[in-house]
Amino acid sequence: MSADTMENITANEIAEEGSAVPTERFLTFTSDGLSIGISTNYVIEIITDHSITMLPLVPDYVKGVINLRGQIIPIIDIRLRMGKPSIEYTGTTCIIVLDINATQIGIIVDAVQQVMDINQSLISPVPVENQLELINGMVSSGDRSVILFLDCEKLVQTY
């Protein structure tokens, strides 16, 4: 599929195009102006207000841990983890709690957007010259914007 064709695909067409290739549900969120998607298979819940206990001697992107119903979960600021500048947290800032291969982790994001069904055949690899460490694919959402996909396996390996 050409880049021109992909530019004309709307978010609804992403879910509707072709039934031979399975679609997958993705939760989209923003971080530093980027739209990022994560498979809902990893998402446990979204927390909007929770106290984070700071930890000493950890990288700056590890904000600490939370106690979620007796489970201690490390919290990573995804913006800092991707090498972007820190910002003051706002009312839209939230924590997405993930379960990746039986490892629970929380990521702080600027804002949650929506859940979308995306045809997996439309997900393209990120061009090598623009590759970000934790991003493993992208898709055009039709309104001249691009949704990047978070590589959850790499996130857990490198945190």
Side-chain angles (χ1 to χ4, degrees), residues 136-148:
N136 64 359
M138 63 184 188
V139 69
S140 172
S141 65
D143 57 355
R144 296 207 178 268
S145 68
V146 173
I147 300 170
L148 303 173

Side-chain angles (χ1 to χ4, degrees), residues 39-93:
S39 172
T40 57
N41 295 334
Y42 295 117
V43 178
I44 297 174
E45 65 184 286
I46 298 168
I47 302 170
T48 56
D49 187 26
H50 209 286
S51 176
I52 299 174
T53 302
M54 303 297 188
L55 297 174
L57 305 173
V58 295
D60 65 338
Y61 59 82
V62 178
K63 300 316 273 181
V65 295
I66 62 170
N67 183 338
L68 186 63
R69 294 182 292 283
Q71 181 97 17
I72 303 301
I73 299 174
I75 303 298
I76 293 175
D77 187 321
I78 201 69
R79 174 187 278 269
L80 295 177
R81 180 62 187 88
M82 293 193 309
K84 304 297 182 180
S86 178
I87 62 165
E88 193 71 32
Y89 297 147
T90 67
T92 61
T93 304

Side-chain angles (χ1 to χ4, degrees), residues 104-121:
Q104 291 193 349
I105 190 169
I107 58 173
I108 299 174
V109 301
D110 295 350
V112 170
Q113 294 178 305
Q114 64 182 333
V115 174
M116 305 174 67
D117 290 326
I118 298 178
N119 184 325
Q120 291 177 340
S121 69

Side-chain angles (χ1 to χ4, degrees), residues 74 97 99 103 110:
V97 180
D99 187 329
T103 301
D110 295 350

